[in-house]
Amino acid sequence: MKLTTAGESHGKALIGIIEGLPSNLKIDIDEINKYLSLRQSGYGRGGRQKIERDSVEIISGVRNLVTLGSPLSFAIINKDYDNWREYMAPEGCDVNAKKLTKVRPGHADLTGLIKYGQTDARNILERASARETAARVAAGTVARQYLRNLGVEISGYVSGVCGERDENEYNFEDTLRSKEQPLFMLNAEVQKRAIRKIDELKENGDTAGGVIEIRVKGLKSGFGSCMRYCEKLDASLCSAVMSVQAIKGVEVGYGFMSAYLSGSEAHDEIFFDDGKYFRKTNKAGGIEGGMSNGGEIVLRAAMKPIPTLMKGLNTIDYSTNLPAVASNERSDVCAICAAEIILESVVAFALAETVSLRLGGDNMREVIERYSALKG
Ligand code: EPS
């Protein structure tokens, strides 16, 4: 299974092509639109989300809500394109009016300008923008529907925002109610403090990041590889998470904390009863030796604060190399809820890739039969 995305933030549309889906997978378009709308939600989002009402249009690969086995392509139309047509149209436009040269620290602007031989950072930021992730959420929801046929579910929540941390542990079912909360947090007190922090930052023209925890429930053991490093499950899931805009760190299970523990404290002891192997703890986060071990997969990711600050950081003007204040027009203060939905989606897609690599299957019945035949 493979995903290609295309599209600029203020261009006509975001496009996705998924190759390698089996036939006879039922597609729930309402669910895709539900996740697209969740990606736009959350406390701290900016003006752009008042313009967009993302919804998916499937172009190919599906007939009467069922996949054909051919590439599934889709589009998410940018409503803001109507305001940007005269500056963005591929057919011809004014490329000077929206020129951006006061490059933003932390954004792709400066390095992209140099690498791609441009003089206008607009030609960089339009694609580097996190707007692209709408396509990954649509594709990730299709992957979620594929995995659900095997009894695999993905969830998550926000465990921290700009220094306000929720240190509690939650079970999978608890995490399912995160989307009812304004910051997708499960601890009301911490969330209240986080909202106050976002308000303060907004007042000061500043931004916030946070921490997200993603869970995968119901995956049988043996997905991934201990034989080929490029197929290690932890490597592919972490790579998917790190590929999301603004993610600067990711860990599996106890992750960085395990470095501070002894071996006897850091590992999950193994038991056997009633014909089954089991562990009483899950410090490994469901992955040992690069393979799923049948336990819940637990990933944690750190999102940096958004690099477009209304107050602007010190930088240079690329057209003169003189000191300047970084450009801004509008910005999200905190997009942690968007990132949470995006991470669930990219994890779903990476997992579906791993599952289909092992199971193959041209149609959904073959996939389900092969998965059912596995021990677990
Ligand atoms: C982004 C800048 C903002 C964000 C955008 C990511 O867009 P605009 O420049 O239009 O205000 O809102 O994210 C989205 C549009 C989205 O849908 O997530 C950036 O520069 O990365």
Side-chain angles (χ1 to χ4, degrees):
M1 213 178 286
K2 183 176 166 240
L3 170 66
T4 302
T5 71
E8 279 76 42
S9 178
H10 304 97
K12 293 183 186 184
L14 300 163
I15 303 291
I17 302 178
I18 309 173
E19 290 175 80
L21 276 175
S23 65
N24 294 339
L25 170 66
K26 203 169 171 343
I27 297 297
D28 180 346
I29 293 178
D30 290 343
E31 189 187 36
I32 300 175
N33 288 334
K34 181 188 97 175
Y35 280 104
L36 286 175
S37 141
L38 279 170
R39 193 199 70 91
Q40 293 193 269
S41 71
Y43 199 80
R45 293 289 258 160
R48 177 71 184 273
Q49 301 313 319
K50 293 188 180 77
I51 299 172
E52 304 296 346
R53 282 286 168 275
D54 291 342
S55 75
V56 73
E57 184 175 348
I58 298 184
I59 312 285
S60 71
V62 174
R63 185 167 184 224
N64 195 29
L65 297 175
V66 179
T67 59
L68 297 168
S70 53
L72 188 161
S73 62
F74 63 84
I76 300 163
I77 304 297
N78 286 324
K79 296 216 169 29
D80 209 13
Y81 181 66
D82 288 343
N83 306 318
W84 284 79
R85 190 184 305 267
E86 59 186 300
Y87 318 114
M88 288 298 292
E91 300 82 8
C93 64
D94 178 354
V95 291
N96 293 315
K98 291 282 181 184
K99 204 163 177 175
L100 194 149
T101 55
K102 293 168 184 160
V103 291
R104 292 161 297 173
H107 215 290
D109 300 347
L110 178 59
T111 308
L113 276 169
I114 299 165
K115 177 177 165 70
Y116 292 100
Q118 300 282 5
T119 53
D120 178 2
R122 171 121 345 252
N123 292 338
I124 307 304
L125 73 92
E126 283 292 334
R127 182 62 187 158
S129 163
R131 176 90 189 124
E132 178 266 344
T133 59
R136 287 201 268 176
V137 168
T141 310
V142 172
R144 200 190 279 267
Q145 293 168 6
Y146 166 90
L147 292 168
R148 190 172 293 137
N149 275 275
L150 312 178
V152 179
E153 292 287 347
I154 295 119
S155 183
Y157 68 101
V158 173
S159 67
V161 172
C162 199
E164 301 297 346
R165 300 170 195 211
D166 178 3
E167 313 262 19
N168 294 336
E169 286 191 17
Y170 298 98
N171 60 37
F172 187 87
E173 277 60 40
D174 291 330
T175 68
L176 295 175
R177 46 184 183 80
S178 65
K179 312 300 180 292
E180 296 155 17
Q181 297 300 321
L183 272 176
F184 294 3
M185 295 186 100
L186 298 172
N187 181 319
E189 265 316 300
V190 179
Q191 182 169 259
K192 217 184 279 174
R193 292 203 300 273
I195 287 174
R196 265 204 302 272
K197 183 70 79 60
I198 290 172
D199 290 342
E200 278 164 31
L201 290 166
K202 184 174 183 184
E203 196 76 13
N204 295 326
D206 216 329
T207 57
V211 177
I212 293 156
E213 187 167 304
I214 300 294
R215 304 279 194 82
V216 179
K217 188 185 159 186
L219 182 68
K220 290 186 176 182
S221 72
F223 286 91
S225 174
C226 62
M227 300 298 174
R228 301 188 72 213
Y229 67 83
C230 56
E231 288 175 17
K232 280 174 176 274
L233 182 60
D234 36 10
S236 48
L237 296 184
C238 290
S239 165
V241 169
M242 284 298 283
S243 75
V244 172
Q245 290 82 340
I247 300 299
K248 296 302 272 185
V250 55
E251 61 180 12
V252 183
Y254 271 26
F256 273 78
M257 192 167 71
S258 59
Y260 300 102
L261 303 175
S262 67
S264 58
E265 292 167 322
H267 296 293
D268 304 303
E269 292 184 309
I270 300 170
F271 304 88
F272 184 80
D273 194 17
D274 208 14
K276 280 191 182 150
Y277 302 104
F278 67 97
R279 298 155 181 86
K280 294 178 184 170
T281 52
N282 185 19
K283 300 165 191 175
I287 302 178
E288 287 173 301
M291 299 169 291
S292 58
N293 67 8
E296 218 169 271
I297 294 177
V298 183
L299 302 167
R300 228 165 283 106
M303 181 191 195
K304 70 180 181 183
I306 286 162
T308 309
L309 277 67
M310 290 314 287
K311 70 174 170 188
L313 294 177
N314 289 328
T315 186
I316 54 94
D317 187 325
Y318 193 68
S319 61
T320 59
N321 283 340
L322 292 172
V325 173
S327 301
N328 60 57
E329 275 164 17
R330 63 186 172 199
S331 175
D332 301 313
V333 181
C334 180
I336 195 75
C337 294
E340 196 280 331
I341 296 295
I342 298 158
L343 294 196
E344 284 190 29
S345 306
V346 299
V347 164
F349 200 89
L351 203 52
E353 278 179 307
T354 296
V355 168
S356 75
L357 187 68
R358 185 177 185 199
L359 299 180
D362 292 315
N363 61 68
M364 240 6 241
R365 190 169 53 81
E366 276 178 6
V367 175
I368 293 168
E369 277 173 8
R370 289 173 191 184
Y371 189 75
S372 308
L374 298 174
K375 269 215 166 117

